[in-house]
């Protein structure tokens, strides 16, 4: 009951906030920002939404797409029934597709034993349908939805099938591929990221000749994540021609001779010939080739060196930034932690020295390692360039990262500036600091003495921001307790991402 009452409060206050972090006035928590966290935690417990709250939940999810997945999980089948009665809630029908069963090679799927939409689940008093019959019904239902459904339903169906049986999902897509619109082909092709495997290679190779440039580019990107594909081998052969170990140098270094043309074979493999404004053609072509080349290629190309050693090698003729930027994109695309670790460099280096996107590289690293790097980065550089890297760290923040953020905020406050330039970080802190940090933050909620030369009244604004942060952490702790219940049988607070 207390958790249900809290949901009522969050839903009633979801539109009252004026934004998160230091740019928002007042000391009250932003209930709108707490609602998605509450829903995620309630789903972890396996709770069901109170029936009386379904209209308000559907209204909230209609207004905010980021709430829809958790809301529909929490609201369950009754929300779908209700959505059929109100056109404003039809998004729920478009964004929810049942997990259609696909017969596997090793026995019945979950849908064949537990039932699917259009196939009644069995109980002890009813005869169970034969697995083959259940599977056939499921296939027929999936085919009908694929042939007649709305576009969003078809995308969701394809994603569902790819999770259960990637080959069945691919077969469904192939059956209508030639008749699909270009923009639809692009979205369907993107769904193949789910459980992408070498069995998708032949279809993606054919997609390289698609009429749409964006479809061709997406097919090339997907093929580049399959290191053993023929596409990857072709790109590696090209890249090894243009990026070599300089044979004339007395010490090891990398020699780059960028391509002088973008021939038809390169364009067929997704290399875009025309560069964007401000980019040279040769650098543009080189970057695309290196980005699509398996990173394992370079270990053999440079005498068996590891990624860190290769990244440290000097590069001739001013090509270092272009080469490293392409390697960064390849590390992100191929989810290669070794190369991401080498390319992101030490956290103490100046932020503008790197050639890649630190936030994207951090997302490739294990969560604990990314948090340690980010904490050291903030300790060295403060918060000015920290917002994006903080956004990819796991929630709740580990203690060293939380301490680094709070220390940097305190330093900024003591410098006498206004908190508004740190509103994004303050908003993240409200969502990502462990609730137990409220006690440690209480002293910062007092109005500090104004430093000499500081901005007038800045201390009062900082006190207000910290008071709001403390109040939010306390409310999150209360939300944890309410969801656990008096019995305390649920997960402990540190196990939840509230």
């Amino acid at each position: 009951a207390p958790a249900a009452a809290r949901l009522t409060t969050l839903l009633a206050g979801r539109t009252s906030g004026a934004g998160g972090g230091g740019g928002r006035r007042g000391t009250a928590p932003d209930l709108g920002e707490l609602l998605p966290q509450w829903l995620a935690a309630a789903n972890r417990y396996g709770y069901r939404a109170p029936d009386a709250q379904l209209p308000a939940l559907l209204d909230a999810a209609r207004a905010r797409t980021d709430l829809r997945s958790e809301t529909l999980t929490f609201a369950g089948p009754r929300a779908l029934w209700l959505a059929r009665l109100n056109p404003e809630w039809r998004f729920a029908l478009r964004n929810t597709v049942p997990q259609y069963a696909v017969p596997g090679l090793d026995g019945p799927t979950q849908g064949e034993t537990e039932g699917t939409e259009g196939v009644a689940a069995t109980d002890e008093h009813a005869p169970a349908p034969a697995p083959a019959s259940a599977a056939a019904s499921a296939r027929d239902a999936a085919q009908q939805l694929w042939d007649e459904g709305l576009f969003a339903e078809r995308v969701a169906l394809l994603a569902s099938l790819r999770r259960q049986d990637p080959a069945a999902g691919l077969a469904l897509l192939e059956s209508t591929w030639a008749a699909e619109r270009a923009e639809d082909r692009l979205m369907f092709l993107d769904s193949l990221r789910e459980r992408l495997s070498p069995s998708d290679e032949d279809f993606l190779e054919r997609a390289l000749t698609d009429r749409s440039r964006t479809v061709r580019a997406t097919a090339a990107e997907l093929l580049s994540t399959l290191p053993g594909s023929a596409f990857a081998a072709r790109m590696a052969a090209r890249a090894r021609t243009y990026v070599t170990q300089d044979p004339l140098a007395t010490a090891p270094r990398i020699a780059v001779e960028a391509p002088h043309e973008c021939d038809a074979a390169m364009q067929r493999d997704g290399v875009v010939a025309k560069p964007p404004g401000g980019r040279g053609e040769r650098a543009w072509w080189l970057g695309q080739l290196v980005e699509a080349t398996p990173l394992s290629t370079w270990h053999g190309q440079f005498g068996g060196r590891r990624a860190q050693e290769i990244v440290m090698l000097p590069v001739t003729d001013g090509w270092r930034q272009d080469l490293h930027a392409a390697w960064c994109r390849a590390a992100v695309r191929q989810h290669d932690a070794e190369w991401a670790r080498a390319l992101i460099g030490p956290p103490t280096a100046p932020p503008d020295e790197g050639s890649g996107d630190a936030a994207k590289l951090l997302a490739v690293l294990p969560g604990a390692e990314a948090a340690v790097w980010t904490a050291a980065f903030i300790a060295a550089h403060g918060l000015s360039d920290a917002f994006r890297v903080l956004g990819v760290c796991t929630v709740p923040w580990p203690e060293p990262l939380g301490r680094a953020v709070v220390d940097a905020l305190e330093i900024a406050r003591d410098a006498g500036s206004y908190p508004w330039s740190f509103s994004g970080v303050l908003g993240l802190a409200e969502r990502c600091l462990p609730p137990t940090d409220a006690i440690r933050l209480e002293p910062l909620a007092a109005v500090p003495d104004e430093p000499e030369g500081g901005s007038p009244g800045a201390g009062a604004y900082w006190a207000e921001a910290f008071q709001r942060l403390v109040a939010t952490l306390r409310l999150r702790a209360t939300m944890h307790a309410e969801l656990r219940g008096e019995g305390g049988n649920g997960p402990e607070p540190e196990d939840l991402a509230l």
Side-chain angles (χ1 to χ4, degrees):
R6 180 67 58 192
L7 175 60
T8 300
T9 302
L10 295 176
L11 287 169
R14 66 182 175 84
T15 59
S16 62
R24 189 175 81 248
R25 297 304 308 275
T27 60
D30 185 344
L31 300 184
E33 289 303 315
L34 289 174
L35 179 58
Q37 300 177 58
W38 190 97
L39 289 169
N43 284 331
R44 287 195 176 197
Y45 282 100
Y47 289 145
R48 190 192 74 183
D51 294 338
Q53 298 288 12
L54 292 179
L57 282 165
L58 288 168
D59 280 340
R62 179 175 63 88
R64 288 180 56 175
T65 57
D66 63 316
L67 292 176
R68 290 182 180 178
S69 176
E70 296 288 0
T71 295
L72 295 176
T73 299
F74 183 53
R78 294 189 181 196
L80 301 183
W81 169 82
L82 198 60
R84 294 186 180 97
L85 307 178
N86 185 346
E88 292 187 348
W89 298 333
R90 289 298 173 87
F91 73 88
L93 305 177
R94 293 194 301 269
N95 287 268
T96 304
V97 173
Q99 298 290 308
Y100 286 102
V102 178
L105 297 177
D106 300 320
T109 66
Q110 180 180 354
E112 292 167 11
T113 57
E114 297 180 5
T116 59
E117 179 166 310
V119 181
T122 63
D123 59 36
E124 60 183 354
H125 303 296
S133 175
S137 298
R139 284 196 302 271
D140 291 344
Q143 188 67 55
Q144 182 178 5
L145 183 61
W146 182 253
D147 293 337
E148 303 174 6
L150 299 171
F151 173 69
E153 293 175 321
R154 300 177 75 210
V155 171
L157 171 63
L158 181 58
S160 175
L161 286 173
R162 288 289 293 183
R163 285 190 293 271
Q164 296 177 78
D165 188 327
L170 179 62
L172 197 67
L173 178 58
E174 286 185 301
S175 68
T176 60
W177 177 257
E180 303 289 353
R181 300 182 305 167
E183 56 267 34
D184 294 350
R185 292 199 305 277
L186 179 62
M187 292 295 294
F188 291 142
L189 193 63
D190 198 62
S191 297
L192 296 188
R193 297 180 193 276
E194 188 81 44
R195 297 184 65 183
L196 184 71
S197 72
S199 61
D200 301 313
E201 182 180 354
D202 288 344
F203 174 76
L204 293 174
E205 278 283 346
R206 295 195 299 273
L208 288 175
T209 61
D210 194 87
R211 302 184 302 275
S212 166
R213 182 179 64 82
T214 53
V215 170
R216 295 195 301 270
T218 302
E221 179 189 349
L222 293 174
L223 283 167
S224 71
T225 64
L226 297 174
S229 66
F231 171 90
R234 295 194 299 270
M235 289 304 213
R238 294 180 180 116
R240 283 196 298 265
T241 301
Y242 302 120
V243 182
T244 62
Q245 185 166 319
D246 190 345
L248 302 179
T250 56
R253 67 176 183 177
I254 298 174
V256 175
E257 178 63 36
H260 290 273
E261 65 171 340
C262 184
D263 58 34
M266 288 169 60
Q267 294 182 51
R268 190 260 181 192
D269 280 343
V271 178
V272 179
K274 184 176 177 59
R279 292 291 302 275
E281 285 184 336
R282 298 180 66 202
W284 173 243
W285 300 331
L286 175 73
Q288 293 177 80
L289 292 178
V290 173
E291 179 181 355
T293 296
L295 288 164
S296 58
T297 301
W298 305 111
H299 301 299
Q301 182 77 341
F302 296 111
R305 290 179 172 86
R306 307 287 296 172
Q308 185 65 55
E309 298 171 306
I310 296 172
V311 168
M312 295 298 294
L313 291 174
V315 182
T316 62
D317 301 327
W319 285 103
R320 181 183 184 278
Q321 184 169 350
D322 290 299
L323 180 60
H324 280 221
W327 277 339
C328 286
R329 296 192 298 273
V332 172
R333 180 183 290 188
Q334 298 170 37
H335 301 284
D336 192 307
E338 180 191 358
W339 277 85
R341 189 176 297 117
L343 289 160
I344 198 171
T348 53
D352 58 350
E353 278 195 0
S355 303
D357 188 325
K360 291 182 178 179
L361 291 171
L362 273 182
V364 178
L365 300 179
E369 183 179 351
V372 169
W373 189 96
T374 303
F377 179 87
I378 291 171
H381 308 293
L383 295 170
S384 298
D385 297 294
F387 179 74
R388 293 195 70 243
V389 294
L390 280 170
V392 302
C393 292
T394 54
V395 178
W397 288 336
E399 193 274 337
L401 177 56
R403 185 175 63 247
V405 171
V406 172
D407 289 347
L409 287 170
E410 186 175 3
I411 291 171
R413 182 201 66 172
D414 293 344
S417 62
Y418 291 115
W420 303 315
S421 59
F422 303 100
S423 61
V425 173
L426 282 162
L428 284 175
E430 291 177 9
R431 298 189 294 273
C432 302
L433 283 174
T436 52
D437 277 7
I439 296 175
R440 183 165 63 90
L441 288 167
E442 283 180 349
L444 297 178
V447 178
D449 296 330
E450 290 192 6
E452 184 178 351
S455 303
Y461 291 122
W462 275 106
E464 187 178 85
F466 280 118
Q467 289 166 17
R468 182 172 58 252
L469 177 56
V470 170
T472 301
L473 295 181
R474 286 175 173 166
L475 179 55
R476 285 171 50 205
T478 301
M479 289 162 53
H480 280 301
E482 292 167 348
L483 287 166
R484 288 198 309 274
E486 293 183 359
N489 294 324
E492 290 303 308
E494 57 267 28
D495 296 330
L496 294 176
L498 268 181

